[in-house]
Amino acid sequence: MGSNEFVTLFFLVAAVLIFLQLRSVLGRRTGNEKPPFDPYSRRDSTKLPEGEDGKVVTLPKREVNDDGNRFAVADSYAPTGTALNSGLREVLKADQNFSPREFLDGAKMAYEMIVSAFAEGNRQTLSSLLSPEVMEGFDHAIRTRESRGEKVVSTFVGIEKADIVQAGVRDNEEHVTVRITCQLIQATYDKDGKVIDGDADVVSEVNDIWTFARDVRSRDPNWKLIATEADQ
């Protein structure tokens, strides 16, 4: 499989939508407050053991040592002997085209799209990026909000940091968990236009832990978000 085939749904969707749908909402303020997302309270998703429709994007060549070591990308990302390194090696055994750094680039694009789509109530975008179980939680939160006549106005400022914290293979699925710190401006308004959550004039720092998965037996290179939780 070439590097083009490795492109995940993150990259494919992002290439078409991200600059059209998201860039108009970027902000430049500073501040701090609690994470505002309803679905993050759903923490019953499978945990990992310790220790991504558009144009194809040509990715950089994979990080490989001169000796052709298949685990070079794992060793360059996490020290050998660590649980994370062992987990990344498991993923590489199942998917030799996996690259931690390329994966993170896609995960960050997907994160921005998902956060923005959730605020907008854009179920079409969400359903293409989420597992059915996670989609159910997000849809429930959106329906509850809509039933109350509430509206969320969100401005995605940017991602400060993103790191892979866990990886591995379980039941023929490769799992990669990412810790993301981002800044956004978000406020929820009731049906009368009164702010009932968040602050339209303050940038919030949000810390999340998201897990993505892909069936290693499938020819489909797409990853799905299978678990979310707030990183307290």
Side-chain angles (χ1 to χ4, degrees):
M1 181 182 294
S3 61
N4 283 349
E5 297 178 7
F6 171 72
V7 178
T8 65
L9 181 60
F10 312 155
F11 296 87
L12 299 178
V13 177
V16 176
L17 299 179
I18 197 165
F19 292 108
L20 297 177
Q21 295 183 345
L22 305 179
R23 292 295 133 185
S24 63
V25 299
L26 295 181
R28 300 293 179 188
R29 302 180 181 125
T30 57
N32 186 52
E33 64 176 84
K34 66 180 181 179
F37 299 108
D38 298 331
Y40 297 166
S41 61
R42 294 172 57 87
R43 303 189 181 187
D44 55 348
S45 301
T46 300
K47 304 294 182 181
L48 287 178
E50 288 300 322
E52 177 176 309
D53 307 19
K55 298 180 181 178
V56 173
V57 178
T58 301
L59 299 176
K61 290 186 177 180
R62 192 164 314 288
E63 309 158 51
V64 180
N65 287 344
D66 292 339
D67 61 2
N69 176 13
R70 66 182 298 192
F71 298 126
V73 293
D75 298 344
S76 68
Y77 190 85
T80 57
T82 62
L84 178 56
N85 181 274
S86 297
L88 290 173
R89 284 175 173 244
E90 285 185 21
V91 173
L92 283 163
K93 287 178 184 178
D95 180 2
Q96 63 181 348
N97 292 300
F98 179 80
S99 165
R101 300 184 193 283
E102 291 174 6
F103 176 87
L104 273 178
D105 288 341
K108 288 187 287 188
M109 291 180 185
Y111 181 88
E112 180 173 351
M113 293 182 69
I114 292 169
V115 168
S116 298
F118 173 67
E120 297 166 1
N122 186 338
R123 293 177 174 84
Q124 182 176 359
T125 295
L126 290 173
S127 64
S128 68
L129 295 166
L130 311 180
S131 70
E133 295 78 12
V134 175
M135 182 63 200
E136 181 181 354
F138 275 63
D139 183 60
H140 176 74
I142 293 172
R143 283 189 284 108
T144 299
R145 195 168 69 204
E146 291 173 340
S147 69
R148 296 173 179 170
E150 298 171 357
K151 179 181 179 181
V152 174
V153 177
S154 180
T155 300
F156 196 95
V157 179
I159 292 176
E160 291 184 348
K161 187 176 182 181
D163 297 295
I164 295 174
V165 294
Q166 289 183 1
V169 177
R170 173 183 294 173
D171 297 331
N172 294 309
E173 275 193 338
E174 48 188 326
H175 291 190
V176 180
T177 300
V178 182
R179 177 181 288 117
I180 297 175
T181 299
C182 84
Q183 289 189 335
L184 59 84
I185 302 168
Q186 188 170 72
T188 301
Y189 297 82
D190 64 15
K191 60 183 179 179
D192 298 319
K194 178 182 177 181
V195 176
I196 57 175
D197 187 33
D199 192 322
D201 298 314
V202 175
V203 171
S204 307
E205 182 178 282
V206 179
N207 298 282
D208 288 311
I209 297 176
W210 284 15
T211 298
F212 297 89
R214 175 184 171 275
D215 189 336
V216 299
R217 300 165 301 179
S218 175
R219 292 169 105 33
D220 184 355
N222 301 332
W223 292 74
K224 294 277 189 175
L225 177 64
I226 65 166
T228 70
E229 65 175 299
D231 184 19
Q232 301 297 333

